[in-house]
């Protein structure tokens, strides 16, 4: 496990005590150098999300990961659920969309 991914896991575990936490480094699906830690997907099931709207849940996660989002992490796909919402989904989070952009280098060549 890479350092940024490990840091994300540790911070979310400590702050949210989730019943499920899945972090996936999706950087390899984007126009970034090999072994980058810039694009992540997080599936989080936690009682901390009870009675919170989706925006408030995301704001909470963004606050927890403010340092990472200000630095190495460029994109964070969030899927936040309460335990009952997760059960209704039968334990399945949405798939991430394919990367639609190019690298900054590609844009300069146009």
């Amino acid at each position: 496990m890479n350092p940024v991914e490990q840091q994300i896991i540790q911070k979310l575990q400590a702050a949210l005590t989730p019943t499920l936490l899945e972090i996936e480094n999706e950087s390899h699906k984007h126009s970034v150098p090999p072994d980058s830690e810039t694009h992540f997907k997080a599936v989080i099931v936690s009682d901390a999300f009870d009675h919170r709207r989706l925006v408030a849940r995301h704001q909470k996660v963004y606050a927890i990961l403010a340092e990472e989002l200000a630095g190495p992490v460029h994109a964070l796909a969030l899927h936040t659920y309460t335990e009952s919402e997760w059960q209704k989904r039968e334990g399945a989070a949405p798939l991430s969309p394919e990367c639609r952009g190019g690298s900054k280098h590609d844009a300069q060549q146009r």
Side-chain angles (χ1 to χ4, degrees), residues 11 21 41-42 51 58 75 86 93 102 106 108:
K11 285 185 173 185
L21 177 61
K41 174 181 177 178
H51 311 294
H58 288 199
W86 186 244
D106 292 341
Q108 291 173 353

Side-chain angles (χ1 to χ4, degrees), residues 3-110:
V4 175
E5 182 177 357
Q6 193 169 16
Q7 197 170 352
I8 290 170
I9 291 168
Q10 289 172 350
K11 285 185 173 185
L12 292 175
Q13 284 282 8
L16 301 174
T17 22
T19 55
L20 175 82
L21 177 61
E22 294 177 357
I23 303 297
E24 183 180 349
N25 182 347
E26 297 185 324
S27 301
H28 65 280
K29 297 178 181 180
H30 300 273
S31 299
V32 296
D35 300 321
S36 291
E37 290 188 278
T38 56
H39 296 70
F40 288 90
K41 174 181 177 178
V43 179
I44 310 166
V45 179
S46 174
D47 290 340
F49 299 140
D50 285 350
H51 311 294
R52 288 183 180 255
R53 297 175 104 168
L54 187 60
V55 170
R57 296 174 189 187
H58 288 199
Q59 288 170 334
K60 185 169 185 69
V61 174
Y62 293 149
I64 295 164
L65 300 178
E67 184 179 335
E68 291 75 16
L69 291 166
V73 177
H74 170 73
L76 179 61
L78 292 177
H79 304 282
T80 56
Y81 305 101
T82 64
E83 189 64 44
S84 64
E85 290 169 342
W86 186 244
Q87 289 173 2
K88 287 177 188 171
R89 293 190 62 84
E90 298 179 356
L95 298 175
S96 294
E98 292 297 317
C99 178
R100 299 176 82 192
S103 69
K104 290 180 183 177
H105 175 75
D106 292 341
Q108 291 173 353
Q109 302 243 337
R110 292 183 200 152

